[in-house]
Amino acid sequence: MMSGATRAEAQAENGLGEPPPPRVYSITVPLVVEMQYRDEIQVVIPANRENLKVQAAPLLREIEFLARAELLRQIASAVDAQGNLRLQELQELGLDAVFDEEKLELRVAVPAGLRRASDTQFTGRSPPRGAESALRPSDFSAFVNLRTGLDYVGQSATGLNEGLQPFRSDLDGALNLRDWVLEGGASYTEDAATPWRRNDARVVYDDPSRMIRYSVGDLSYPTTGFQSFQPLLGLTVARNFSLQPYRVTEPLGQTSFFLKNPARVDVLVNGQRVQTLQLPAGPHNLRNFLFASGANDVTLRITDDVGLTETIHLSFFFDYQLLAQGEHEFGYSIGLPSREGESDRHYDARFPGFSALHRVGLTDRLTAGLNLQGDGDQQMLGADTVWATRIGTFQPDLGLSRVEGVGWDYAARLGYRYYDAARTWAGTFALAAQYRGPLFASLGNLEPDNSVAWDFSARYSRRLPRQMNVGIGGTYQILRSSQRDSSGVNLFLGKRFGRGAILDVTLDRRELSTGETEYRAYASLTLSFPNRRQTARFSHDSFTETSRADWQYNALHSVGGVDANLGAQRRPDDYNAYGGLRYNGYRAEAGLTHDVTTPDSSSENLDSRTSIRLGTAVVYADGQFAVSRPVRDSFAIVVPHPDFAGQTIGVDPVRDSYAARADRFGPAVLPDLRSYLVRNVTIDAPDLPPGYDLGPGVHTIRPTYKSGTVIRVGTGATVLLIGVLETANGVPVTLQAGEIVSLKDPQRAPVQLFTNRDGRFSVEGLKPGEHELRLYADPQPKARFEIPEGKAGIYDIG
């Protein structure tokens, strides 16, 4: 309210006098699209209601994915110079657009004939809403993980190496400069001949738009078929699908249909209802069904608003190793072969090593590829295929090798698997046959001598009623050099009792190349107590005569709780008892284990060992340092405003705990972010005084590879302003929207206000200093006021 000297001053300086004559009013109201609240929109209300206008930008944004492109172009061409659209013109273009003056809301619907086909993704492989505006990682960030281990041997069976053992420590970390990442590590062992050893080090750069990762240094590259991994110091260029985790690269099913009327669509995959959709009239696409490997049935039960039912049956086949048609997967690496020495790494500079693979989806059911590996001493060429048919998936692999001084040889493998996911009690059937020439060698084997010529295997498993499952399998090997062939057969039985008990039994019979026959029985019983977060497991192996019992407890909170385990094991020659505790904190992780082994149930040769493991990390981004438990990929630092000193600032609250917390040790750190996945970070400040502006309660971030993101919490605003807005005659200014602008900080975004029917308003997010109040309906009159310095909490301006 403006009264006394304040009201007179406002009249003299700002012209707030008698209520202005009727004129054009602008008001912000809810925008309801297809019966759902979507956004807020400005409506311009003139004296002549036929010329009522609405703000174009939010309307176009919300119907962009509902209306046909041609209709959107017509609407865009009708926008005036002020960015508004006449409501009547929207109605003439075919939209159902109504401004409800009683509810103060704008309702818009797109008729079926003007709608574009809607897309429904069943596997959730599209980026979440708001991903495009996610907070970017810092241009420069870094982290260093430190893990240490201390062992104490209280008593040794041999009487040697007792007492405190040599100290061990591992360092690893990464430095990210505008998405160029330098990563590496080192290890330290006390009393070793060479205490410090360098681990892998490399520079990594990602190109997410093309899903390509470039690596220079000690390489980690993909392999396939008969390829094997050999350490290289060099360059890798590889397709990495994790750079676009929401992009579908497998051939997943899709279908399209048109609804004349609004309808409920029940979607069943292999007889199981996966989703019920309430869809409006118009065209619709259903994409990316979540399939199991093998044959799959999809049923759509469509029930319209008058009860008419229609059923659509579809059939799809899926295999997890297939690529969608036109999709490429590749990896090309070249460098110097390396090997670990006693004190350092050694590199072979005689001839570079190389490894390459390239797979392509020729069709949605056929994926083929070639691969090549080699160095100065040996080379290997291979080919692999995945072919999915209605009778199963066939996967042939071929390999041709050459070893210097040994010669050429080849290997071939044919795999087959079938699973009918559409049947309730369907089984899985798998066959494999492999041949290896006597001199065929994968990379790294310079003296090949393959004693097994043919290797055959088969397995069949299926689910049974009453929560049971069964499996039977067998192997047969044909050996060279007049050795006896070997074979084996095994039977597996499993039974679940209620929700908390699982019994597994495996029976095995093997005929060895020596002529001996082995029999083995293995049984395990697992008991789960979810409410108490405990699991107990008991097992016995007749072949090794080993009996084992384990108990595990998982804390209620993954951060700030203590996990525990206990166990005992009996073998023919000794008894073993062990136990441990594990703690994950906001700044570190720790583990404690104790192991006691007693041979022949005697304490004379007892072996007792206690181990302590500690891990912590130091992270940096945008000038902010913080201490955290070890970082696995990317991290975020949550930095509270200095005005929040002494306040509890928690991150991602779960029950009465947090995933991270700002405290006297510094900002909060989330160390477990995954690259390129969108993450919503929730900020909680339960004891924040009135008037303190926390800012957004949820921040959306999307980290890149081994990056750091800074989330700043709090704006520095500490004042909750309340008051009553009146004219010079004491008449309340009712139901008006406006804004308060800081004259001390003109760059700061204005704070919006809205008066009720008594002219009262309440505004958060203001700082001390001089401000100016303006009404949207009549921006010319302006009222200035000042919030005293040092003011915090509620401030009643009167």
Side-chain angles (χ1 to χ4, degrees), residues 133-142 619-626 634-641 651 667-670 673 681 683 699-704 707-714:
S133 58
L135 190 63
R136 281 225 12 109
S138 304
D139 286 342
F140 178 75
S141 61
V619 300
Y620 171 86
D622 275 355
Q624 295 289 335
F625 283 95
S634 297
F635 65 90
I637 306 177
V638 180
V639 183
H641 193 275
V651 181
V669 181
L670 288 173
L673 304 181
V681 178
I683 308 298
H699 297 261
T700 302
I701 60 177
R702 192 173 192 175
T704 55
S707 64
T709 305
V710 173
I711 301 174
R712 302 191 184 275
V713 176

mmCIF file of all heavy atoms in Angstrom, residues 133-142 619-626 634-641 651 667-670 673 681 683 699-704 707-714:
data_model
loop_
_atom_site.group_PDB
_atom_site.id
_atom_site.type_symbol
_atom_site.label_atom_id
_atom_site.label_comp_id
_atom_site.label_asym_id
_atom_site.label_seq_id
_atom_site.Cartn_x
_atom_site.Cartn_y
_atom_site.Cartn_z
ATOM 1 N N SER A 133 18.570 -27.302 -22.831
ATOM 2 C CA SER A 133 18.952 -26.140 -22.027
ATOM 3 C C SER A 133 19.736 -26.546 -20.776
ATOM 4 O O SER A 133 19.854 -25.762 -19.834
ATOM 5 C CB SER A 133 17.700 -25.354 -21.607
ATOM 6 O OG SER A 133 16.804 -26.181 -20.875
ATOM 7 N N ALA A 134 20.276 -27.762 -20.765
ATOM 8 C CA ALA A 134 21.014 -28.243 -19.599
ATOM 9 C C ALA A 134 22.272 -27.407 -19.374
ATOM 10 O O ALA A 134 22.871 -26.870 -20.314
ATOM 11 C CB ALA A 134 21.388 -29.714 -19.785
ATOM 12 N N LEU A 135 22.652 -27.318 -18.104
ATOM 13 C CA LEU A 135 23.840 -26.565 -17.722
ATOM 14 C C LEU A 135 25.078 -27.228 -18.314
ATOM 15 O O LEU A 135 25.282 -28.423 -18.176
ATOM 16 C CB LEU A 135 23.942 -26.515 -16.198
ATOM 17 C CG LEU A 135 24.978 -25.584 -15.577
ATOM 18 C CD1 LEU A 135 24.677 -24.141 -15.931
ATOM 19 C CD2 LEU A 135 24.986 -25.772 -14.059
ATOM 20 N N ARG A 136 25.924 -26.429 -19.000
ATOM 21 C CA ARG A 136 27.113 -26.978 -19.650
ATOM 22 C C ARG A 136 28.231 -27.203 -18.649
ATOM 23 O O ARG A 136 28.364 -26.496 -17.667
ATOM 24 C CB ARG A 136 27.598 -26.027 -20.751
ATOM 25 C CG ARG A 136 26.780 -26.146 -22.003
ATOM 26 C CD ARG A 136 27.567 -26.204 -23.271
ATOM 27 N NE ARG A 136 28.978 -26.417 -23.183
ATOM 28 C CZ ARG A 136 29.544 -27.564 -23.555
ATOM 29 N NH1 ARG A 136 28.807 -28.570 -23.957
ATOM 30 N NH2 ARG A 136 30.855 -27.679 -23.530
ATOM 31 N N PRO A 137 29.068 -28.220 -18.921
ATOM 32 C CA PRO A 137 30.239 -28.421 -18.061
ATOM 33 C C PRO A 137 31.193 -27.239 -18.150
ATOM 34 O O PRO A 137 31.157 -26.450 -19.094
ATOM 35 C CB PRO A 137 30.875 -29.696 -18.631
ATOM 36 C CG PRO A 137 29.813 -30.361 -19.439
ATOM 37 C CD PRO A 137 28.941 -29.259 -19.954
ATOM 38 N N SER A 138 32.058 -27.119 -17.168
ATOM 39 C CA SER A 138 33.047 -26.045 -17.140
ATOM 40 C C SER A 138 34.054 -26.225 -18.274
ATOM 41 O O SER A 138 34.352 -27.346 -18.689
ATOM 42 C CB SER A 138 33.783 -26.041 -15.798
ATOM 43 O OG SER A 138 32.867 -25.939 -14.728
ATOM 44 N N ASP A 139 34.591 -25.090 -18.754
ATOM 45 C CA ASP A 139 35.613 -25.162 -19.805
ATOM 46 C C ASP A 139 36.872 -25.854 -19.308
ATOM 47 O O ASP A 139 37.581 -26.505 -20.083
ATOM 48 C CB ASP A 139 35.960 -23.750 -20.296
ATOM 49 C CG ASP A 139 34.868 -23.161 -21.158
ATOM 50 O OD1 ASP A 139 34.019 -23.931 -21.649
ATOM 51 O OD2 ASP A 139 34.851 -21.932 -21.343
ATOM 52 N N PHE A 140 37.157 -25.709 -18.017
ATOM 53 C CA PHE A 140 38.345 -26.363 -17.454
ATOM 54 C C PHE A 140 37.966 -27.031 -16.137
ATOM 55 O O PHE A 140 37.404 -26.384 -15.246
ATOM 56 C CB PHE A 140 39.469 -25.361 -17.218
ATOM 57 C CG PHE A 140 40.691 -25.978 -16.599
ATOM 58 C CD1 PHE A 140 41.546 -26.761 -17.356
ATOM 59 C CD2 PHE A 140 40.971 -25.799 -15.249
ATOM 60 C CE1 PHE A 140 42.671 -27.354 -16.787
ATOM 61 C CE2 PHE A 140 42.090 -26.378 -14.671
ATOM 62 C CZ PHE A 140 42.939 -27.160 -15.451
ATOM 63 N N SER A 141 38.255 -28.307 -16.019
ATOM 64 C CA SER A 141 37.977 -29.042 -14.789
ATOM 65 C C SER A 141 39.009 -30.146 -14.642
ATOM 66 O O SER A 141 39.692 -30.525 -15.604
ATOM 67 C CB SER A 141 36.558 -29.634 -14.799
ATOM 68 O OG SER A 141 36.405 -30.549 -15.873
ATOM 69 N N ALA A 142 39.132 -30.668 -13.438
ATOM 70 C CA ALA A 142 40.105 -31.723 -13.172
ATOM 71 C C ALA A 142 39.716 -32.451 -11.888
ATOM 72 O O ALA A 142 39.001 -31.910 -11.042
ATOM 73 C CB ALA A 142 41.517 -31.147 -13.048
ATOM 74 N N VAL A 619 38.596 -32.377 -6.435
ATOM 75 C CA VAL A 619 38.030 -31.980 -7.723
ATOM 76 C C VAL A 619 38.138 -30.464 -7.877
ATOM 77 O O VAL A 619 38.204 -29.723 -6.891
ATOM 78 C CB VAL A 619 36.557 -32.431 -7.849
ATOM 79 C CG1 VAL A 619 36.443 -33.939 -7.726
ATOM 80 C CG2 VAL A 619 35.687 -31.755 -6.788
ATOM 81 N N TYR A 620 38.125 -30.034 -9.148
ATOM 82 C CA TYR A 620 38.246 -28.598 -9.442
ATOM 83 C C TYR A 620 37.427 -28.281 -10.685
ATOM 84 O O TYR A 620 37.454 -29.025 -11.679
ATOM 85 C CB TYR A 620 39.707 -28.207 -9.686
ATOM 86 C CG TYR A 620 39.865 -26.789 -10.197
ATOM 87 C CD1 TYR A 620 39.947 -25.714 -9.314
ATOM 88 C CD2 TYR A 620 39.902 -26.521 -11.575
ATOM 89 C CE1 TYR A 620 40.068 -24.423 -9.778
ATOM 90 C CE2 TYR A 620 40.028 -25.227 -12.045
ATOM 91 C CZ TYR A 620 40.106 -24.173 -11.142
ATOM 92 O OH TYR A 620 40.220 -22.881 -11.610
ATOM 93 N N ALA A 621 36.719 -27.156 -10.644
ATOM 94 C CA ALA A 621 35.998 -26.651 -11.820
ATOM 95 C C ALA A 621 35.640 -25.196 -11.576
ATOM 96 O O ALA A 621 35.180 -24.833 -10.478
ATOM 97 C CB ALA A 621 34.727 -27.464 -12.092
ATOM 98 N N ASP A 622 35.849 -24.347 -12.572
ATOM 99 C CA ASP A 622 35.470 -22.926 -12.510
ATOM 100 C C ASP A 622 35.947 -22.236 -11.231
ATOM 101 O O ASP A 622 35.197 -21.498 -10.588
ATOM 102 C CB ASP A 622 33.944 -22.779 -12.635
ATOM 103 C CG ASP A 622 33.489 -22.749 -14.081
ATOM 104 O OD1 ASP A 622 34.358 -22.747 -14.971
ATOM 105 O OD2 ASP A 622 32.269 -22.749 -14.323
ATOM 106 N N GLY A 623 37.202 -22.482 -10.852
ATOM 107 C CA GLY A 623 37.763 -21.822 -9.681
ATOM 108 C C GLY A 623 37.351 -22.410 -8.355
ATOM 109 O O GLY A 623 37.724 -21.886 -7.307
ATOM 110 N N GLN A 624 36.576 -23.507 -8.366
ATOM 111 C CA GLN A 624 36.093 -24.112 -7.132
ATOM 112 C C GLN A 624 36.810 -25.432 -6.880
ATOM 113 O O GLN A 624 36.814 -26.320 -7.735
ATOM 114 C CB GLN A 624 34.582 -24.363 -7.219
ATOM 115 C CG GLN A 624 33.743 -23.112 -7.309
ATOM 116 C CD GLN A 624 33.732 -22.342 -6.002
ATOM 117 O OE1 GLN A 624 33.939 -22.903 -4.932
ATOM 118 N NE2 GLN A 624 33.464 -21.050 -6.075
ATOM 119 N N PHE A 625 37.437 -25.560 -5.692
ATOM 120 C CA PHE A 625 38.014 -26.817 -5.244
ATOM 121 C C PHE A 625 37.040 -27.478 -4.274
ATOM 122 O O PHE A 625 36.286 -26.811 -3.564
ATOM 123 C CB PHE A 625 39.350 -26.592 -4.531
ATOM 124 C CG PHE A 625 40.499 -26.307 -5.454
ATOM 125 C CD1 PHE A 625 40.871 -24.999 -5.737
ATOM 126 C CD2 PHE A 625 41.203 -27.349 -6.039
ATOM 127 C CE1 PHE A 625 41.928 -24.727 -6.577
ATOM 128 C CE2 PHE A 625 42.267 -27.085 -6.892
ATOM 129 C CZ PHE A 625 42.642 -25.785 -7.164
ATOM 130 N N ALA A 626 37.078 -28.795 -4.244
ATOM 131 C CA ALA A 626 36.252 -29.514 -3.283
ATOM 132 C C ALA A 626 36.850 -30.896 -3.059
ATOM 133 O O ALA A 626 37.620 -31.404 -3.884
ATOM 134 C CB ALA A 626 34.807 -29.633 -3.780
ATOM 135 N N SER A 634 32.340 -38.491 -14.413
ATOM 136 C CA SER A 634 32.225 -37.035 -14.336
ATOM 137 C C SER A 634 31.666 -36.632 -12.970
ATOM 138 O O SER A 634 31.163 -37.473 -12.220
ATOM 139 C CB SER A 634 31.320 -36.519 -15.460
ATOM 140 O OG SER A 634 31.883 -36.804 -16.724
ATOM 141 N N PHE A 635 31.736 -35.333 -12.672
ATOM 142 C CA PHE A 635 31.303 -34.867 -11.359
ATOM 143 C C PHE A 635 30.640 -33.507 -11.481
ATOM 144 O O PHE A 635 30.767 -32.809 -12.493
ATOM 145 C CB PHE A 635 32.494 -34.790 -10.396
ATOM 146 C CG PHE A 635 33.531 -33.764 -10.782
ATOM 147 C CD1 PHE A 635 33.463 -32.455 -10.320
ATOM 148 C CD2 PHE A 635 34.578 -34.107 -11.626
ATOM 149 C CE1 PHE A 635 34.420 -31.514 -10.674
ATOM 150 C CE2 PHE A 635 35.544 -33.174 -11.988
ATOM 151 C CZ PHE A 635 35.464 -31.875 -11.514
ATOM 152 N N ALA A 636 29.942 -33.119 -10.425
ATOM 153 C CA ALA A 636 29.342 -31.785 -10.319
ATOM 154 C C ALA A 636 29.634 -31.233 -8.928
ATOM 155 O O ALA A 636 29.559 -31.966 -7.930
ATOM 156 C CB ALA A 636 27.838 -31.826 -10.561
ATOM 157 N N ILE A 637 29.989 -29.949 -8.865
ATOM 158 C CA ILE A 637 30.219 -29.264 -7.598
ATOM 159 C C ILE A 637 29.046 -28.329 -7.350
ATOM 160 O O ILE A 637 28.734 -27.480 -8.199
ATOM 161 C CB ILE A 637 31.533 -28.454 -7.617
ATOM 162 C CG1 ILE A 637 32.716 -29.331 -8.021
ATOM 163 C CG2 ILE A 637 31.800 -27.828 -6.268
ATOM 164 C CD1 ILE A 637 34.026 -28.570 -8.127
ATOM 165 N N VAL A 638 28.387 -28.469 -6.218
ATOM 166 C CA VAL A 638 27.258 -27.620 -5.847
ATOM 167 C C VAL A 638 27.770 -26.593 -4.847
ATOM 168 O O VAL A 638 28.132 -26.940 -3.709
ATOM 169 C CB VAL A 638 26.109 -28.448 -5.259
ATOM 170 C CG1 VAL A 638 24.939 -27.539 -4.880
ATOM 171 C CG2 VAL A 638 25.660 -29.508 -6.254
ATOM 172 N N VAL A 639 27.811 -25.318 -5.282
ATOM 173 C CA VAL A 639 28.429 -24.243 -4.497
ATOM 174 C C VAL A 639 27.339 -23.318 -3.955
ATOM 175 O O VAL A 639 26.695 -22.604 -4.726
ATOM 176 C CB VAL A 639 29.430 -23.446 -5.345
ATOM 177 C CG1 VAL A 639 30.116 -22.385 -4.488
ATOM 178 C CG2 VAL A 639 30.454 -24.375 -5.984
ATOM 179 N N PRO A 640 27.100 -23.296 -2.622
ATOM 180 C CA PRO A 640 26.097 -22.378 -2.062
ATOM 181 C C PRO A 640 26.616 -20.940 -2.056
ATOM 182 O O PRO A 640 27.819 -20.684 -1.998
ATOM 183 C CB PRO A 640 25.897 -22.894 -0.637
ATOM 184 C CG PRO A 640 26.546 -24.236 -0.598
ATOM 185 C CD PRO A 640 27.631 -24.205 -1.623
ATOM 186 N N HIS A 641 25.693 -19.987 -2.109
ATOM 187 C CA HIS A 641 26.030 -18.576 -1.993
ATOM 188 C C HIS A 641 26.608 -18.302 -0.598
ATOM 189 O O HIS A 641 26.209 -18.946 0.382
ATOM 190 C CB HIS A 641 24.773 -17.730 -2.222
ATOM 191 C CG HIS A 641 25.052 -16.275 -2.419
ATOM 192 N ND1 HIS A 641 25.204 -15.405 -1.372
ATOM 193 C CD2 HIS A 641 25.215 -15.550 -3.551
ATOM 194 C CE1 HIS A 641 25.446 -14.191 -1.843
ATOM 195 N NE2 HIS A 641 25.457 -14.251 -3.167
ATOM 196 N N VAL A 651 21.844 -32.278 -1.560
ATOM 197 C CA VAL A 651 21.687 -32.551 -2.989
ATOM 198 C C VAL A 651 21.033 -33.919 -3.148
ATOM 199 O O VAL A 651 21.470 -34.906 -2.542
ATOM 200 C CB VAL A 651 23.049 -32.526 -3.707
ATOM 201 C CG1 VAL A 651 22.870 -32.779 -5.197
ATOM 202 C CG2 VAL A 651 23.743 -31.190 -3.478
ATOM 203 N N PRO A 667 32.024 -27.298 -0.564
ATOM 204 C CA PRO A 667 30.836 -27.518 -1.393
ATOM 205 C C PRO A 667 30.492 -29.001 -1.507
ATOM 206 O O PRO A 667 31.320 -29.883 -1.262
ATOM 207 C CB PRO A 667 31.250 -26.940 -2.754
ATOM 208 C CG PRO A 667 32.424 -26.064 -2.487
ATOM 209 C CD PRO A 667 33.117 -26.650 -1.305
ATOM 210 N N ALA A 668 29.256 -29.258 -1.909
ATOM 211 C CA ALA A 668 28.813 -30.627 -2.146
ATOM 212 C C ALA A 668 29.332 -31.103 -3.502
ATOM 213 O O ALA A 668 29.478 -30.312 -4.438
ATOM 214 C CB ALA A 668 27.294 -30.706 -2.107
ATOM 215 N N VAL A 669 29.612 -32.408 -3.606
ATOM 216 C CA VAL A 669 30.123 -32.980 -4.847
ATOM 217 C C VAL A 669 29.335 -34.239 -5.186
ATOM 218 O O VAL A 669 29.158 -35.121 -4.340
ATOM 219 C CB VAL A 669 31.626 -33.333 -4.741
ATOM 220 C CG1 VAL A 669 32.128 -33.912 -6.069
ATOM 221 C CG2 VAL A 669 32.433 -32.105 -4.362
ATOM 222 N N LEU A 670 28.850 -34.313 -6.426
ATOM 223 C CA LEU A 670 28.268 -35.542 -6.961
ATOM 224 C C LEU A 670 29.332 -36.205 -7.829
ATOM 225 O O LEU A 670 29.628 -35.725 -8.922
ATOM 226 C CB LEU A 670 27.024 -35.234 -7.800
ATOM 227 C CG LEU A 670 25.776 -34.793 -7.048
ATOM 228 C CD1 LEU A 670 24.696 -34.355 -8.040
ATOM 229 C CD2 LEU A 670 25.248 -35.919 -6.165
ATOM 230 N N LEU A 673 28.440 -39.061 -11.843
ATOM 231 C CA LEU A 673 27.701 -38.719 -13.053
ATOM 232 C C LEU A 673 28.216 -39.534 -14.236
ATOM 233 O O LEU A 673 29.412 -39.820 -14.340
ATOM 234 C CB LEU A 673 27.835 -37.229 -13.367
ATOM 235 C CG LEU A 673 27.409 -36.263 -12.258
ATOM 236 C CD1 LEU A 673 27.568 -34.823 -12.737
ATOM 237 C CD2 LEU A 673 25.980 -36.528 -11.823
ATOM 238 N N VAL A 681 19.409 -32.509 -10.951
ATOM 239 C CA VAL A 681 19.993 -32.392 -9.619
ATOM 240 C C VAL A 681 19.042 -31.562 -8.755
ATOM 241 O O VAL A 681 18.764 -30.399 -9.071
ATOM 242 C CB VAL A 681 21.385 -31.739 -9.681
ATOM 243 C CG1 VAL A 681 21.960 -31.580 -8.282
ATOM 244 C CG2 VAL A 681 22.322 -32.568 -10.561
ATOM 245 N N ILE A 683 18.032 -29.603 -5.345
ATOM 246 C CA ILE A 683 18.656 -28.880 -4.232
ATOM 247 C C ILE A 683 17.635 -28.740 -3.111
ATOM 248 O O ILE A 683 16.483 -28.373 -3.342
ATOM 249 C CB ILE A 683 19.142 -27.485 -4.677
ATOM 250 C CG1 ILE A 683 20.015 -27.591 -5.939
ATOM 251 C CG2 ILE A 683 19.899 -26.801 -3.553
ATOM 252 C CD1 ILE A 683 21.268 -28.403 -5.758
ATOM 253 N N HIS A 699 18.196 -28.432 -11.055
ATOM 254 C CA HIS A 699 19.117 -28.022 -12.115
ATOM 255 C C HIS A 699 19.341 -29.218 -13.041
ATOM 256 O O HIS A 699 19.585 -30.341 -12.570
ATOM 257 C CB HIS A 699 20.458 -27.564 -11.534
ATOM 258 C CG HIS A 699 20.359 -26.354 -10.654
ATOM 259 N ND1 HIS A 699 20.650 -25.079 -11.090
ATOM 260 C CD2 HIS A 699 19.986 -26.235 -9.352
ATOM 261 C CE1 HIS A 699 20.480 -24.232 -10.097
ATOM 262 N NE2 HIS A 699 20.070 -24.900 -9.030
ATOM 263 N N THR A 700 19.270 -28.977 -14.340
ATOM 264 C CA THR A 700 19.509 -30.026 -15.318
ATOM 265 C C THR A 700 20.923 -29.897 -15.855
ATOM 266 O O THR A 700 21.324 -28.828 -16.306
ATOM 267 C CB THR A 700 18.499 -29.936 -16.482
ATOM 268 O OG1 THR A 700 17.171 -30.039 -15.959
ATOM 269 C CG2 THR A 700 18.722 -31.052 -17.477
ATOM 270 N N ILE A 701 21.684 -30.983 -15.795
ATOM 271 C CA ILE A 701 23.059 -30.976 -16.289
ATOM 272 C C ILE A 701 23.242 -32.137 -17.261
ATOM 273 O O ILE A 701 22.515 -33.131 -17.217
ATOM 274 C CB ILE A 701 24.092 -31.073 -15.147
ATOM 275 C CG1 ILE A 701 23.908 -32.360 -14.357
ATOM 276 C CG2 ILE A 701 23.985 -29.874 -14.218
ATOM 277 C CD1 ILE A 701 24.937 -32.562 -13.274
ATOM 278 N N ARG A 702 24.224 -31.981 -18.138
ATOM 279 C CA ARG A 702 24.550 -33.041 -19.110
ATOM 280 C C ARG A 702 26.067 -33.070 -19.287
ATOM 281 O O ARG A 702 26.616 -32.381 -20.144
ATOM 282 C CB ARG A 702 23.844 -32.799 -20.441
ATOM 283 C CG ARG A 702 23.899 -34.001 -21.382
ATOM 284 C CD ARG A 702 23.038 -33.776 -22.606
ATOM 285 N NE ARG A 702 22.858 -35.001 -23.369
ATOM 286 C CZ ARG A 702 22.075 -35.113 -24.434
ATOM 287 N NH1 ARG A 702 21.388 -34.062 -24.853
ATOM 288 N NH2 ARG A 702 21.967 -36.257 -25.073
ATOM 289 N N PRO A 703 26.756 -33.851 -18.464
ATOM 290 C CA PRO A 703 28.221 -33.832 -18.502
ATOM 291 C C PRO A 703 28.781 -34.475 -19.765
ATOM 292 O O PRO A 703 28.130 -35.323 -20.382
ATOM 293 C CB PRO A 703 28.611 -34.643 -17.261
ATOM 294 C CG PRO A 703 27.441 -35.534 -17.013
ATOM 295 C CD PRO A 703 26.233 -34.768 -17.448
ATOM 296 N N THR A 704 29.980 -34.051 -20.143
ATOM 297 C CA THR A 704 30.732 -34.723 -21.187
ATOM 298 C C THR A 704 31.734 -35.664 -20.520
ATOM 299 O O THR A 704 31.730 -35.820 -19.302
ATOM 300 C CB THR A 704 31.448 -33.708 -22.084
ATOM 301 O OG1 THR A 704 32.270 -32.852 -21.264
ATOM 302 C CG2 THR A 704 30.445 -32.837 -22.826
ATOM 303 N N SER A 707 34.197 -34.789 -17.128
ATOM 304 C CA SER A 707 34.088 -33.329 -17.012
ATOM 305 C C SER A 707 33.585 -32.951 -15.622
ATOM 306 O O SER A 707 33.101 -33.788 -14.856
ATOM 307 C CB SER A 707 33.139 -32.781 -18.076
ATOM 308 O OG SER A 707 31.829 -33.287 -17.865
ATOM 309 N N GLY A 708 33.689 -31.662 -15.318
ATOM 310 C CA GLY A 708 33.161 -31.122 -14.078
ATOM 311 C C GLY A 708 32.201 -29.986 -14.354
ATOM 312 O O GLY A 708 32.449 -29.160 -15.237
ATOM 313 N N THR A 709 31.094 -29.957 -13.627
ATOM 314 C CA THR A 709 30.072 -28.916 -13.789
ATOM 315 C C THR A 709 29.855 -28.234 -12.450
ATOM 316 O O THR A 709 29.774 -28.902 -11.413
ATOM 317 C CB THR A 709 28.750 -29.529 -14.277
ATOM 318 O OG1 THR A 709 28.971 -30.272 -15.475
ATOM 319 C CG2 THR A 709 27.710 -28.443 -14.540
ATOM 320 N N VAL A 710 29.782 -26.911 -12.466
ATOM 321 C CA VAL A 710 29.537 -26.148 -11.244
ATOM 322 C C VAL A 710 28.082 -25.689 -11.228
ATOM 323 O O VAL A 710 27.597 -25.087 -12.181
ATOM 324 C CB VAL A 710 30.481 -24.934 -11.148
ATOM 325 C CG1 VAL A 710 30.101 -24.050 -9.962
ATOM 326 C CG2 VAL A 710 31.923 -25.404 -11.002
ATOM 327 N N ILE A 711 27.389 -26.000 -10.136
ATOM 328 C CA ILE A 711 26.010 -25.553 -9.920
ATOM 329 C C ILE A 711 26.036 -24.564 -8.761
ATOM 330 O O ILE A 711 26.382 -24.932 -7.629
ATOM 331 C CB ILE A 711 25.090 -26.735 -9.587
ATOM 332 C CG1 ILE A 711 25.101 -27.764 -10.721
ATOM 333 C CG2 ILE A 711 23.663 -26.245 -9.329
ATOM 334 C CD1 ILE A 711 24.327 -29.026 -10.401
ATOM 335 N N ARG A 712 25.709 -23.322 -9.048
ATOM 336 C CA ARG A 712 25.722 -22.282 -8.009
ATOM 337 C C ARG A 712 24.314 -22.120 -7.456
ATOM 338 O O ARG A 712 23.359 -21.898 -8.208
ATOM 339 C CB ARG A 712 26.263 -20.972 -8.569
ATOM 340 C CG ARG A 712 27.680 -21.139 -9.134
ATOM 341 C CD ARG A 712 28.349 -19.831 -9.467
ATOM 342 N NE ARG A 712 29.653 -20.063 -10.078
ATOM 343 C CZ ARG A 712 30.778 -20.269 -9.409
ATOM 344 N NH1 ARG A 712 30.744 -20.263 -8.085
ATOM 345 N NH2 ARG A 712 31.921 -20.484 -10.034
ATOM 346 N N VAL A 713 24.214 -22.231 -6.142
ATOM 347 C CA VAL A 713 22.920 -22.227 -5.455
ATOM 348 C C VAL A 713 22.764 -20.928 -4.696
ATOM 349 O O VAL A 713 23.648 -20.532 -3.932
ATOM 350 C CB VAL A 713 22.828 -23.430 -4.497
ATOM 351 C CG1 VAL A 713 21.529 -23.370 -3.710
ATOM 352 C CG2 VAL A 713 22.940 -24.729 -5.263
ATOM 353 N N GLY A 714 21.634 -20.268 -4.911
ATOM 354 C CA GLY A 714 21.357 -19.015 -4.216
ATOM 355 C C GLY A 714 21.735 -17.814 -5.048
ATOM 356 O O GLY A 714 22.752 -17.815 -5.746
#
